[in-house]
Amino acid sequence: RLLGQLREGGPGGYGLRRGAAYGLSGAVKGLGIASLKGYGVLDSLKAMVEDKRDAQGREGSLQAFECLCEKLGRLFEPYVIHILPLLLQCFGDAAPQVRAAAEDAARSIMGQLSASGVKLVLPALLKGLEDSAWRTKQGSIQLLGAMAHCAPKQLGSCLPTIVPRLGGVLGDPHPKVAAAAKLALQEVGSVIRSPEMTALVPALLSAIAEPNASTRPCLDTLLATTFVNTIDAPSLALVVPVVHRGLRDRSGDTKKRAARIVGNMCSLTNDPKDMTPYVPLLMPELQKALLDPLPEVRATAARAMGSLLKGMGAAALGDLLPWLLSTLRSDGSSVERSGAAQGLAEVLSVLGEEHLAQLLPELFASATSKNPFVREGHLTLFKYLPLTMEQPFQQHLGEVLPLILDGLSDEVEGVRDAALAAGRCFVEAYARSCLPLLLPAVEAGLGGDNWRIRQSSLELCGELLFKVAGTSGKVKLDGGSDDEGVACAEFSAAIQEALGRERNADVLSKLYMARSDVQYVVRNTALHIWKTIVVNTPKTLQEILPALMAEVISALADPGEDRRLAAARCLGELVRKMGERVLHRMLPILRDTMSSPNSATRQGVCAGLKELLENVTRHQLTEYLSDILPPIQGALCDDDAAVREAAGAAFGVLFKGGAHGAVESVVPSLLNGLDSPGHASQSLEGLRVILSVRPQVFNGIVPKLLKQPVSSAGLRAIGTLAGTAASVLLHHIPAIMAACLTLSSSHTPTSTSAACCTSSDGHSNAAAPVAASPPDSRAEAAAEAALAVALAADEDSIHCLLAELLKALEDVTGRALGAARLLAAYAKVTRQDLQPHVDELITALVLLLAEDADSLALAAWQACDALAATIPKDQQAGHTTALKEALAGAREKERRKRRSGVLHLHGLLLPPKALGPFVPIYLQGVLQGSSPEVREAAAEGLGELVVLTSEEGLKPFVVAITGPLIRIIGDRFPPETKAAILATLGLLIRRAGPGLKPFVPQLQTTFLKCLNDPAPAVRATAADNLGDLTRLSARLDQLVCDLASNAATTADREIAAAYLKALRGALRASGERLTPATLGSVQAQLLQLYGTLSGKPAATNGGVDPQSAALVQAMAQYCAAAGPGGLTAVLSAGPLGPAGISGSKEARELGSMLLAAVAGAAAEGLEEAGQLRSAVEAAVKATRDTELASVKVAGGRAVVRLYHAHRNTGPALVSALTTLLGPDQAAEVQRQAMLSLHKLTVADEAALQPHLGALVPSICSILQREPNSQVKAAAEQLLKHALQLSNGLEVGQAAAALAGGTTKLFLTDAYLRRLQKLPDDDWVEAEEY
């Protein structure tokens, strides 16, 4: 019945419908909330609302919803979410009474909502604002407006969300939507309880609706309003959007007003928590305002942050402090960091002193960060902390001031500006309360090395003094005297009263000295301060003179150049302006201060005396000379070097000022002090200082120091003073070097074995006499003095110095040792360019390597090592020729001293790495030589080094030499260069042995390739090397077979000869390692080739055919390796065969050569093979050949060689040789026979003793009748060795007596003595036989 009455129409229908709604709500409340579902109440009501034809039913159902909500309260809240779509629909109903009912229902529903209900309803309403249908938007807006009637607590939570959204739809294109939004906002304003805010609602709504035009006037109205009552949540809901829009405005003035309002809002709210929903909205804009370019905006935003923090607590703004610290350290603009610093200062003032104390260590560390923007930000913070926390921050001034002073000298301008601004704030805030703390820190900055810190400290000092004096210091006078200003006596009195007399004098002294600073801006600032606080400058200077002199003396000894110059200018100005009025007081102060134990103070006194002397007149200098000279003379002998230097500078000014008598009175006393052990070093330093001012004094000192007998002290003095007197050293170098090198050459080590030297490559070498302590201290002093003089020689003197050293190196028994040691030491440390003189010096030094004295040879090597280290790598090749000629000279010098034994250069046997100085030069010559001749000379020089040193000395350089030579042998060099390189490689193979194993494959390939070279010298050298290399080869059999095969098949006879020569070397070096199969193959190839060549002439007009000669030598070597079987086979096919010695000319010639070769290589095996007698007979037969001289020569060689191996062949020897030496033989046959005998006597000097009676007459006969010089030379050499004349004349005399006749008459004692003196000719020893 009640549901039906809700549809009643007619005149009384409204009452019935209203009553039915109340009844329905009462019945539901009585029956319980479950009855809504049990009786289908909600479904019926919903159907009524959706009935578009029954307006009374829709109105009645909405009234039922209103009453149910009022009666049931929060029990009805879960059904509200289902009713909202119906309400939204009815807000746009065509019937006015339905719309009114919808508004009443909405107001009732919203008034009953709890906090959870608001959260449940609000999202749906806000989503409705985004709907495309305007009616839905309108309904949602009306419902949101109705939420203004929520309970106050729920209203506070929902309005921060609702009002901004309503403000957003004020500009909706549909006029009804915009009008609904305006009405909704008026609904919000209607519930405001604050009287002041009620009056402001129109202005607020206008600002929300038209922000561009109305925000600024609204903010002005808010700021102009005096609030007596607190503002509630609806008020905040309307104010915050306006303030938020103001903070986002482009105008700085508008932002400043908005920030002021934000700062005041917390104090006007009844509960600060009402601001909590708005903090996420306002704080980002406040942070942006804090970084605004306008300082007023930043300051207002900083205070607003402090107010918010104070009102709401740190918990509500938890991330504010980290954000401020992060911005303070950011690398953005200085404006941003300044705003963050200001905001942080306000925040810290709210957080309190304890929080500041906890944060300060972190701030101090960041103030010294390596990043300049971090330093700037934190120094800017110190500027604002005194403004916000004056008293709490005062106790930390002592820790902050050093950071400020460091910032004043920072290299970044922004940091310096921030530090200066902070310092000014400190002075402004604490000038009177913390003067004893501020003044020392500012004073310390006045003496800084950086002019910027001096300038900044001076400005702070001036402001501090102005504060104390009670003046602004802003009045400046242009023109007039430097001492005239605006000061008055009251200023000076106030400062002195605040600081005390002594402290005031110290401050004024620093200030007066700053007037002479090297920077104009510093001088100008100091002058302004001085003129502002000092009334009578002369009187004040008289009062502060002791303090001023102490400050000046301290500054003159300061390591900073700017401070020294300022002090010097100050002292000079003082002397010029005050003159006689201060000199009589200044000089005693300087004299008394000279006795200070502090060396820096004494140095400052000397610098002060120098400045004083530069500014006094001649009359004043004469008057006060007796007071000036003693402290300078004493300082010249001071223990401290810096004091002596300063005294020397003062002495120089004194000398230039006209006091020439000072030299005559000072120098003799210093020379006498050299002999006193206690004062020698000080006197020496005094002399050095004087020479630095007046080098010409050295001309008179040297003769006195070199006067015989020369003392160690005199020599040390020369060495110490030489560097100072370099400009006058040239004329004294001969005399000094003569004396020093003579003495230093007498310096011999006490134990040669205990000393060691070091080569340029850093390795320790053998005995080095220069390292031991000399028994004579004069020798050591002389060596040190000579080195010091050499190092002092400039470009004009270096030629004279080196000329003296070259002369000394020629004096082997005198000065050479000292000169070599001096060169070794000099070359290691000199900066002079020695390259133009290296060739001369190395030539002289290398010749000394052949000296027998270990000390001299080793000193020469050390000098060579040091000189070589000075040669740039790209210039080393240029010294190849000079080094080669020098080594050749040393080798010849060594050869003349040694008649027998291996020829080694003495100086290359002493250090382990003796080749170190020379190998790099030769290698660069080979690799980078400017011409083929230089490369050839370098390669030959490397070979000479290999020969002249020991195997131990060669080992360290085997790889260094071999590798480059292998690399370049394939380049297109001239044959001479290739041959030289190959010769050196051959020497390395023979000397280095196993050390070359890593290079065997490359070497073998290289030598095989060179066997085909067009140049005979290259082929011959490669063949020799390949033979020697087989000792190291692992695949010997294959190599030997290849050589034999190539020798037999190659058409070119010269290249075939090269293969044969290589084969002979391989058989000689490694024949015992060959397998029988390999030997058989070699035999077959050689016999085949022998058969081919036996029909061709073996000798031509140009000499023996090279292929034939190489063949017989290879076959002979094969016989030695193959044993009796191979020997028999070769001889049977050759000289002992049917076509041997008795065959054709070609067969006889080749057979005799083979016989001679076999007799030389395998003579010992003939007897074992049963071929000795046949071989002797064949040899004798060859000597009697009637046609071919070459056969006779070969037969003679065979006979001598057989006799050397088998002495039982003596009769055959005498028979054959007597024939060959007969007068009917050709001269060449005779010469070759005598050469063969000569070789025999060299091998065994007693070998011909039994046969002298038969041979000597023939030899003498040749000498008597033979005009041929070569034959005669061979005969004389043979007689010399056969008669053993090197041991005396007895054998020769006995042989002459035995021979009798003309032989006895010919071999007189005089003739024998002449033969005895004959030198051994190289061509005789080297000629093949």
Side-chain angles (χ1 to χ4, degrees), residues 370-389:
K370 64 179 181 180
N371 295 322
F373 47 83
V374 177
R375 299 197 299 272
E376 178 190 342
H378 287 75
L379 290 175
T380 305
L381 173 63
F382 296 145
K383 168 185 173 182
Y384 294 111
L385 283 175
L387 304 178
T388 59
M389 306 179 70

Side-chain angles (χ1 to χ4, degrees), residues 36 106 109 165 238 399 514 516 523 578 603 637 687 728 733 871 958 1090 1095 1184 1223:
L36 285 174
I109 290 171
R165 297 298 295 271
L238 293 180
E399 300 173 87
S516 302
R523 294 198 303 271
M578 305 292 287
Q603 180 186 358
C637 300
L687 286 171
V728 296
I733 286 179
I871 304 174
V958 170
Y1090 182 85
R1184 296 172 181 171

Side-chain angles (χ1 to χ4, degrees), residues 621-794:
L621 177 60
T622 304
E623 182 179 354
Y624 293 101
L625 183 62
S626 58
D627 295 326
I628 295 173
L629 189 57
I632 293 178
Q633 186 172 355
L636 286 172
C637 300
D638 197 274
D639 295 334
D640 189 86
V643 177
R644 294 193 297 269
E645 293 291 340
F651 185 85
V653 177
L654 182 65
F655 186 85
K656 293 177 183 177
H660 298 285
V663 175
E664 285 74 12
S665 61
V666 173
V667 172
S669 63
L670 294 177
L671 286 174
N672 294 331
L674 292 175
D675 297 326
S676 173
H679 301 87
S681 59
Q682 293 88 341
S683 299
L684 186 58
E685 286 301 316
L687 286 171
R688 188 186 62 79
V689 171
I690 290 175
L691 287 179
S692 65
V693 178
R694 192 72 177 171
Q696 291 78 6
V697 177
F698 193 67
N699 295 328
I701 293 177
V702 171
K704 296 177 182 178
L705 295 178
L706 291 180
K707 185 179 180 181
Q708 296 295 333
V710 183
S711 64
S712 299
L715 291 169
R716 280 192 290 269
I718 288 176
T720 303
L721 302 177
T724 311
S727 59
V728 296
L729 189 62
L730 175 63
H731 303 296
H732 302 287
I733 286 179
I736 295 174
M737 285 296 160
C740 291
L741 294 181
T742 301
L743 286 172
S744 62
S745 295
S746 64
H747 168 18
T748 55
T750 55
S751 175
T752 303
S753 62
C756 68
C757 64
T758 304
S759 66
S760 61
D761 58 3
H763 293 81
S764 179
N765 289 327
V770 293
S773 298
D776 183 3
S777 62
R778 290 198 310 162
E780 184 177 357
E784 294 173 357
L787 178 58
V789 170
L791 292 174
D794 54 18

Side-chain angles (χ1 to χ4, degrees), residues 108-128:
S108 177
I109 290 171
M110 296 305 172
Q112 298 295 327
L113 283 179
S114 64
S116 59
V118 170
K119 292 180 182 179
L120 187 68
V121 170
L122 192 57
L125 297 179
L126 293 178
K127 187 175 181 181

Side-chain angles (χ1 to χ4, degrees), residues 111-147:
Q112 298 295 327
L113 283 179
S114 64
S116 59
V118 170
K119 292 180 182 179
L120 187 68
V121 170
L122 192 57
L125 297 179
L126 293 178
K127 187 175 181 181
L129 295 179
E130 300 173 359
D131 198 285
S132 58
W134 68 270
R135 292 185 182 277
T136 304
K137 282 186 181 181
Q138 183 183 18
S140 298
I141 292 170
Q142 290 170 336
L143 281 174
L144 288 173
M147 292 186 76

Side-chain angles (χ1 to χ4, degrees), residues 922-1195:
Y922 279 144
L923 285 177
Q924 284 301 307
V926 172
L927 297 171
Q928 306 294 336
S930 58
S931 66
E933 291 76 13
V934 173
R935 295 176 185 265
E936 180 182 355
E940 292 174 350
L942 286 172
E944 287 182 356
L945 290 179
V946 172
V947 173
L948 293 176
T949 191
S950 64
E951 293 184 4
E952 289 297 320
L954 180 62
K955 279 183 181 179
F957 302 94
V958 170
V959 174
I961 296 174
T962 307
L965 292 182
I966 292 175
R967 286 199 304 272
I968 66 167
I969 190 65
D971 294 346
R972 295 182 179 180
F973 290 137
E976 295 79 9
T977 305
K978 282 189 175 181
I981 295 173
L982 289 170
T984 300
L985 289 173
L987 291 170
L988 280 170
I989 293 170
R990 290 186 280 277
R991 296 296 307 281
L996 283 176
K997 277 191 175 181
F999 298 100
V1000 167
Q1002 299 98 308
L1003 288 171
Q1004 184 171 306
T1005 302
T1006 299
F1007 295 154
L1008 284 171
K1009 183 178 179 181
C1010 290
L1011 290 179
N1012 295 288
D1013 196 272
V1018 176
R1019 294 196 302 270
T1021 312
D1024 290 338
N1025 293 351
L1026 189 58
D1028 292 330
L1029 185 66
T1030 55
R1031 293 190 180 93
L1032 308 175
S1033 179
R1035 302 177 62 186
L1036 178 61
D1037 292 278
Q1038 182 62 45
L1039 174 62
V1040 170
C1041 289
D1042 291 343
L1043 290 174
S1045 174
N1046 289 336
T1049 58
T1050 301
D1052 190 313
R1053 301 190 69 177
E1054 292 186 351
I1055 295 177
Y1059 279 109
L1060 288 168
K1061 190 173 183 180
L1063 178 60
R1064 173 203 177 191
L1067 292 169
R1068 178 179 58 202
S1070 309
E1072 68 279 358
R1073 294 167 51 203
L1074 296 174
T1075 63
T1078 301
L1079 289 173
S1081 175
V1082 170
Q1083 176 183 316
Q1085 298 286 353
L1086 291 177
L1087 291 179
Q1088 176 188 348
L1089 184 58
Y1090 182 85
T1092 302
L1093 295 181
S1094 61
K1096 300 178 181 179
T1100 63
N1101 294 332
V1104 179
D1105 172 55
Q1107 185 180 16
S1108 301
L1111 174 62
V1112 298
Q1113 290 170 353
M1115 294 178 74
Q1117 206 60 53
Y1118 166 77
C1119 292
L1127 177 60
T1128 302
V1130 169
L1131 290 178
S1132 300
L1136 303 186
I1141 300 302
S1142 303
S1144 63
K1145 292 181 180 181
E1146 293 78 5
R1148 296 202 309 276
E1149 192 172 37
L1150 191 59
S1152 61
M1153 290 170 61
L1154 178 58
L1155 181 61
V1158 171
E1164 291 80 1
L1166 288 172
E1167 190 169 6
E1168 183 181 354
Q1171 301 293 333
L1172 178 59
R1173 181 170 181 176
S1174 300
V1176 172
E1177 292 175 353
V1180 173
K1181 183 177 181 181
T1183 60
R1184 296 172 181 171
D1185 194 278
T1186 58
E1187 292 185 84
L1188 298 174
S1190 59
V1191 176
K1192 294 181 180 181
V1193 171

Side-chain angles (χ1 to χ4, degrees), residues 184-268:
L185 288 173
Q186 289 175 352
E187 287 284 335
V188 174
S190 67
V191 299
I192 292 176
R193 296 189 298 273
S194 171
E196 295 87 356
M197 289 304 301
T198 302
L200 295 175
V201 168
L204 293 171
L205 293 178
S206 176
I208 293 173
E210 299 178 8
N212 292 333
S214 302
T215 298
R216 175 76 174 270
C218 182
L219 293 176
D220 290 338
T221 304
L222 283 170
L223 289 173
T225 302
T226 302
F227 287 89
V228 177
N229 301 286
T230 59
I231 58 177
D232 50 12
S235 302
L236 287 176
L238 293 180
V239 170
V240 168
V242 178
V243 173
H244 180 258
R245 176 64 180 79
L247 289 173
R248 297 175 60 189
D249 198 89
R250 296 180 62 182
S251 170
D253 201 30
T254 304
K255 284 190 279 190
K256 183 172 66 172
R257 285 170 166 76
R260 284 180 59 191
I261 294 172
V262 172
N264 295 331
M265 286 170 69
C266 279
S267 61
L268 294 176

Side-chain angles (χ1 to χ4, degrees), residues 486-510:
V486 296
C488 61
E490 288 78 7
F491 295 167
S492 300
I495 294 173
Q496 184 164 331
E497 181 181 355
L499 301 182
R501 180 178 297 274
E502 293 184 4
R503 200 81 182 89
N504 182 51
D506 291 339
V507 173
L508 290 179
S509 298
K510 291 182 172 63

